[in-house]
Amino acid sequence: MDLACVEGSVHALLGKNGAGKSTLIKILTGAEQPDAGEIRLNGVPVRLRSTREARERGIAAVYQELSLVPELTVAENLFLGALPRKAAAVDWSALVRRARHALAWLPEPPDPHARVAELTVAARQLVEITRAVAMHSRVLILDEPTAALGPHEVERLFAVIRSLRARGVAVVYISHRLDEVEAIADRVTVLRDGVRVYAGDVSEVSREALVAHMVGRDEAPEGRGRRATASRTHPAGQADAPPLLLARGITSLDASGRPLFRDVSFALAPGEILGLTGPVGSGASAVARALFGLVPLSAGAMELAGQPFAPRSPREALQRGVAFVSDDRAGEGVVPEAPVAHNVSVAVLPRVTVRGFLDLRAERALAARRIEQAGVTPADPDQPAGTLSGGNQQKVVLARWMEHGARVLVLCEPTRGMDVAAKEDVHRLLRRLRDEGAAILVVSSEYEEIADLADRALVMSAGEVAGEVRGRVTAGDLLALASRALPEEVRA
Ligand SMILES: Nc1ncnc2c1ncn2[C@@H]1O[C@H](COP(=O)(O)OP(=O)(O)OP(=O)(O)O)[C@@H](O)[C@H]1O
Ligand SMILES: [Mg+2]
């Protein structure tokens, strides 16, 4: 693998899930050691034996798996390892002042005193980015920094990247979103199976060519990435079927009494995919979490199959047949040390347990079938889940809930961090589950994804439902609804 990054330029790194992007980043930041080859900084060969050494040489990174310490505050996380001191003690007021300064690039900066555990995934990602930027490094590496961000935050981040570039920083940018790459990158390198297959100027290569390099010619079946029109003829919900899940005027308040969402109502029928979208902070993912007992309601009521439904815990929701795929991969996703098979079967342990003992063979067989359907690569049930690439870990989580056979499936950002082909695989899977009668709620901040998947969609803004798109959903409809809901100054 070869990569050359120039100061004052943004270098995009592209490749399918598992291509080796994150591994390369870990090597460039001293988190892993190369078996062979050489790294040069300003022409001088360097050995990076630890992340600390890399940092001291001016290489900073935002890793794909967020690495903040949840128990510590935002300010502490920002300057961990370099806390300002007065005499022997930490200078707390200086720390908070510096944190405020570092966070000032954000439209709505989090409170420096807030514990990271209390933040949303998007806010955590913004803190993570702030930390890397605050290191004033010469090389800044961003591994899927926008995965949890909405369009508004992405624009802010791009403004920061542009100013860093103007100051001569070399930026390495990993993303599966080709529109972002076109918007921000000067150079691009494509990886496939750990090898560089293309390098050049972004302005000189078409999107189609980039995709072809990523997937490899022999492996680019016709229709990949194209909308699956056939399955869209499916009737939107079983029109006469009574809704399986009903929410009436549900409202939830955060710790300080501000609404996470307010007066939200919807019905979800078996055989239907309902999309829920909106900018970060719109409350869409909080609604999803409420369905799984992770967020308490303060007003309104829900029904499941005609019975009152007020889950106080995920366990209760699961018992009633509601499953949840979180957008918090690190906190609620895979157990990294456990084998893939285990991660798949954890939702259905009774099915692979004989008289209280885990039947390893049954577990492996069950997992093998599901990971094949979900397209997990490598398809090895014995491999620790933590050694899979980010996108493949997400597929393992999906495989788990496929096996569970839930009546209601709630998914937050189900394909975040997945490459185009993997996305299409997952969409196909979800359509199949729908056609088998599951009621599916998909929360996604990507309008394209909702347009591709949903039979019907609600757009949320500032905690309320701003509008609904029925029938054939297009990204344009969603964008129009969402921007109408924005306050004047943001729209301008
Ligand atoms: N510690 C490890 N042990 C064994 N295999 C590993 C380990 N870390 C990564 N791999 C494997 O190396 C390959 C490259 O993984 P990597 O995480 O670099 O992919 P990626 O390009 O970042 O993918 P994604 O887009 O999904 O994040 C994958 O097949 C992965 O399973
Ligand atoms: Mg990765």
Side-chain angles (χ1 to χ4, degrees), residues 18 21-23 64-65 143-144 174 176 389-391:
K21 304 179 295 296
S22 296
T23 307
Q64 185 175 15
E65 272 66 44
D143 195 350
E144 298 193 35
I174 298 179
H176 290 291
S389 80

Side-chain angles (χ1 to χ4, degrees), residues 15-24 26 32 64-65 143-144 174 176 191 329 377-378 383 386-393 417-419:
K16 290 207 315 177
N17 294 135
K21 304 179 295 296
S22 296
T23 307
L24 175 64
K26 286 177 190 152
E32 294 210 18
Q64 185 175 15
E65 272 66 44
D143 195 350
E144 298 193 35
I174 298 179
H176 290 291
L191 274 178
R329 221 170 11 219
T377 31
Q383 191 164 332
T387 66
L388 293 180
S389 80
N392 280 296
Q393 291 185 20
M418 290 195 189
D419 64 56

Side-chain angles (χ1 to χ4, degrees), residues 308-328:
F309 178 59
R312 274 156 304 174
S313 68
R315 179 186 295 260
E316 226 182 295
L318 271 172
Q319 276 166 355
R320 299 282 299 271
V322 178
F324 179 71
V325 175
S326 174
D327 55 349
D328 184 356

Side-chain angles (χ1 to χ4, degrees), residues 234-239 241-242 244 268-274 407 430-440 455:
H234 178 90
Q238 290 150 12
L244 186 54
L268 179 61
E272 173 180 55
I273 300 181
L274 174 65
R407 293 190 288 176
L430 290 175
R431 286 189 203 106
R432 193 161 91 204
L433 291 171
R434 169 194 68 188
D435 296 345
E436 288 167 4
I440 302 179
D455 301 308

Side-chain angles (χ1 to χ4, degrees), residues 349-413:
L349 279 178
R351 254 178 255 169
V352 289
T353 312
V354 184
R355 287 188 294 275
F357 289 97
L358 190 62
D359 179 347
L360 284 175
R361 193 133 28 114
E363 180 183 59
R364 291 190 70 239
L366 171 154
R369 197 170 66 241
R370 287 304 183 187
I371 61 185
E372 183 177 337
Q373 280 176 1
V376 177
T377 31
D380 173 9
D382 299 324
Q383 191 164 332
T387 66
L388 293 180
S389 80
N392 280 296
Q393 291 185 20
Q394 183 74 353
K395 291 191 216 168
V396 168
V397 175
L398 282 172
R400 176 191 304 163
W401 297 120
M402 275 159 44
E403 186 58 39
H404 187 265
R407 293 190 288 176
V408 179
L409 191 55
V410 181
L411 308 108
C412 281
E413 310 290 350

